[in-house]
Amino acid sequence: MSLTVHTEQQGNLVVVSVAGELDMATAPQLQDQITDLLDKGRNRLVFDLAEVSFCDSTGLSVFVRAKNSCDETGGVVRLAAPQRGVLRILEVSGLVEVLQTYPTVAEAVADGSTAKPAAG
């Protein structure tokens, strides 16, 4: 399965909608999109994961790298609307504690600073 990535500016955030399977074969595509955003000074990112059906450790590492890059420049990374399987991977890996994760994109966009636990 392929991966599609769409970006949309919402206020001072960029919503990065990801759809498909995020794995070793497709993670570089998402990484390239993130690098392009960061190069343009866009360091406040919300990843809409509602349409991500699978995410492996390679995909997780893309989010961690994005968070580290955004943190260095005063930005933020938020994950939104992960499906149950993806949320479970975030929980098991401990990354749900590191990456701000929200049940919906609207909540991720609206939040001033604090994370709310994703519904699972």
Side-chain angles (χ1 to χ4, degrees):
M1 181 174 209
S2 64
L3 188 76
T4 59
V5 181
H6 173 74
T7 61
E8 178 185 341
Q9 189 78 35
Q10 288 192 21
N12 66 348
L13 297 166
V14 177
V15 176
V16 182
S17 300
V18 185
E21 294 183 357
L22 186 53
D23 57 23
M24 186 170 28
T26 60
Q29 178 184 343
L30 179 57
Q31 184 63 57
D32 289 347
Q33 190 80 12
I34 294 166
T35 299
D36 185 52
L37 289 168
L38 294 173
D39 287 348
K40 293 176 180 174
R42 306 286 197 268
N43 66 349
R44 300 180 57 78
L45 309 177
V46 172
F47 291 94
D48 178 358
L49 305 180
E51 299 298 320
V52 174
S53 57
F54 175 80
C55 181
D56 70 4
S57 61
T58 313
L60 294 179
S61 69
V62 170
F63 297 126
V64 171
R65 281 195 301 275
K67 180 190 183 324
N68 291 340
S69 295
C70 289
D71 284 353
E72 288 173 6
T73 59
V76 299
V77 166
R78 299 174 182 160
L79 305 183
Q83 292 185 21
R84 184 178 302 144
V86 174
L87 179 59
R88 182 73 181 131
I89 291 167
L90 289 165
E91 291 170 342
V92 168
S93 67
L95 289 177
V96 76
E97 304 299 322
V98 175
L99 299 165
Q100 295 181 20
T101 306
Y102 299 78
T104 67
V105 172
E107 289 176 75
V109 169
D111 185 34
S113 63
T114 58
K116 296 167 185 67

